[in-house]
């Protein structure tokens, strides 16, 4: 039991390390700020779910999410973004007189469509793909149709100071699944958070661009 817990804790640390490596690359930054970090917390709940025919009462939880997004395509005031985040959920519920608590870790991949509606305001919508089983028991060969979950979400973002922003969002599960899957990760969630746009420049790409510029300049001078 202790070995299993240590293995799970090591896996969690590994996942967080991978996230930091992906979101904090040792590189410089593009002129346009295409990346952003965010941290959010929120509340989750189920309206009605059952376990072995028994109704689970007061099924709710709290979540903490750490992640980042990258802007892939921009057109005027609209953009398409892809994200990567870790979500920790602490849930509780009650069956008759028996109360229980649970916690789990989820890796989420938000696909976002962003629309600027004012100078400091943005709206976003899209969907979230995430694991529906614990990472140490997940079937990575995708043989179980319930191993993955898909949520739709809506978000409001307000820039209160240059690149710093506040967010409020809600997401809801779309995929029909057995109720036990919602014990650790309820059907609906509402979050508030804070984030910052950052500048990440690829030094190698910048050097190649500068080399091409000097080459064109020298060619023009020869003419």
């Amino acid at each position: 039991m202790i070995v299993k817990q240590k293995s799970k804790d090591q896996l969690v640390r590994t996942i967080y390390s991978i996230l930091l490596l992906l979101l904090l690359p040792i590189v410089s930054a593009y002129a346009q700020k295409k990346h952003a970090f965010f941290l959010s917390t929120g509340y989750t709940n189920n309206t009605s779910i059952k376990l072995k025919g028994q109704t689970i009462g007061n099924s709710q939880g709290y979540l903490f999410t750490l992640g980042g997004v990258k802007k892939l395509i921009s057109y005027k005031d609209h953009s398409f973004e892809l994200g990567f985040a870790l979500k920790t959920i602490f849930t509780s519920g009650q069956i008759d007189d028996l109360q229980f608590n649970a916690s789990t870790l989820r890796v989420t991949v938000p696909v976002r469509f962003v629309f600027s509606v004012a100078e400091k305001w943005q709206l976003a919508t899209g969907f979230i793909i995430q694991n529906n089983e614990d990472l140490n028991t997940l079937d990575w060969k995708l043989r179980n149709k319930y191993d993955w979950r898909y949520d739709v979400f809506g978000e409001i973002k307000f820039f209160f100071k240059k690149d710093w922003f506040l967010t409020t969002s809600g997401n809801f599960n779309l995929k029909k699944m057995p109720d036990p899957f919602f014990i650790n990760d309820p059907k609906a969630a509402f979050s508030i958070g804070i984030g910052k746009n950052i500048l990440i420049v690829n030094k190698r790409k910048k050097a190649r661009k500068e080399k091409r510029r000097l080459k064109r300049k020298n060619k023009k001078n020869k003419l």
Side-chain angles (χ1 to χ4, degrees):
M1 186 71 178
I2 296 177
V3 174
K4 184 178 180 180
Q5 183 62 40
K6 286 184 177 179
S7 177
K8 187 175 181 180
D9 292 343
Q10 185 178 7
L11 178 62
V12 171
R13 288 194 295 269
T14 301
I15 294 296
Y16 271 103
S17 298
I18 292 174
L19 174 66
L20 291 176
L21 288 174
L22 290 174
L23 298 181
L24 294 173
I26 308 175
V27 291
S28 45
Y30 291 105
Q32 182 184 2
K33 295 181 179 178
K34 296 183 178 181
H35 300 77
F37 293 119
F38 65 88
L39 175 66
S40 64
T41 183
Y43 169 77
T44 67
N45 77 298
N46 290 308
T47 53
S48 177
I49 60 173
K50 292 185 177 182
L51 182 61
K52 293 183 178 180
Q54 293 182 293
T55 300
I56 299 178
N58 198 27
S59 179
Q60 60 182 331
Y62 300 93
L63 61 88
F64 298 90
T65 305
L66 169 66
V69 296
K70 180 178 181 178
K71 188 182 299 181
L72 300 179
I73 302 174
S74 298
Y75 177 72
K76 295 184 178 180
D77 294 331
H78 314 313
S79 62
F80 170 69
E81 300 176 350
L82 186 65
F84 181 84
L86 294 178
K87 180 174 69 174
T88 303
I89 314 160
F90 303 93
T91 55
S92 61
Q94 182 174 346
I95 302 177
D96 294 331
D97 295 329
L98 178 64
Q99 294 185 342
F100 65 87
N101 297 284
S103 63
T104 189
L105 175 70
R106 297 288 186 255
V107 175
T108 71
V109 179
V111 179
R112 302 161 45 87
F113 302 92
V114 183
F115 310 90
S116 296
V117 294
E119 182 180 356
K120 294 185 177 182
W121 293 89
Q122 288 184 350
L123 298 179
T125 187
F127 60 93
I128 299 171
I129 304 172
Q130 69 173 61
N131 57 303
N132 208 31
E133 290 277 5
D134 289 339
L135 294 171
N136 57 337
T137 60
L138 185 66
D139 181 5
W140 294 96
K141 294 183 179 180
L142 308 179
R143 290 173 294 191
N144 187 344
K145 65 179 181 179
Y146 296 127
D147 277 349
W148 302 94
R149 168 172 170 160
Y150 313 99
D151 288 8
V152 294
F153 77 92
E155 178 186 83
I156 300 174
K157 180 186 293 186
F158 171 69
F159 287 86
F160 64 92
K161 183 179 179 182
K162 199 175 181 180
D163 294 318
W164 287 90
F165 56 84
L166 297 173
T167 63
T168 178
S169 64
N171 60 279
F172 309 89
N173 175 256
L174 278 183
K175 189 175 181 179
K176 291 184 178 180
M177 299 182 297
D179 283 355
F181 284 101
F182 296 116
I183 293 176
N184 282 351
D185 192 355
K187 296 180 181 181
F190 305 91
S191 302
I192 58 173
I194 188 171
K196 186 180 189 299
N197 289 339
I198 61 170
L199 196 63
I200 299 180
V201 174
N202 189 313
K203 289 183 177 180
R204 292 182 179 178
K205 185 174 181 179
K206 185 178 180 180
R208 289 195 299 268
K209 186 176 180 180
E210 180 64 19
K211 187 177 180 179
R212 288 194 298 268
R213 188 188 69 81
L214 291 175
K215 188 176 181 180
R216 289 194 299 268
K217 183 179 180 180
N218 292 335
K219 186 177 181 180
K220 185 177 181 181
N221 290 336
K222 288 180 179 180
L223 295 175

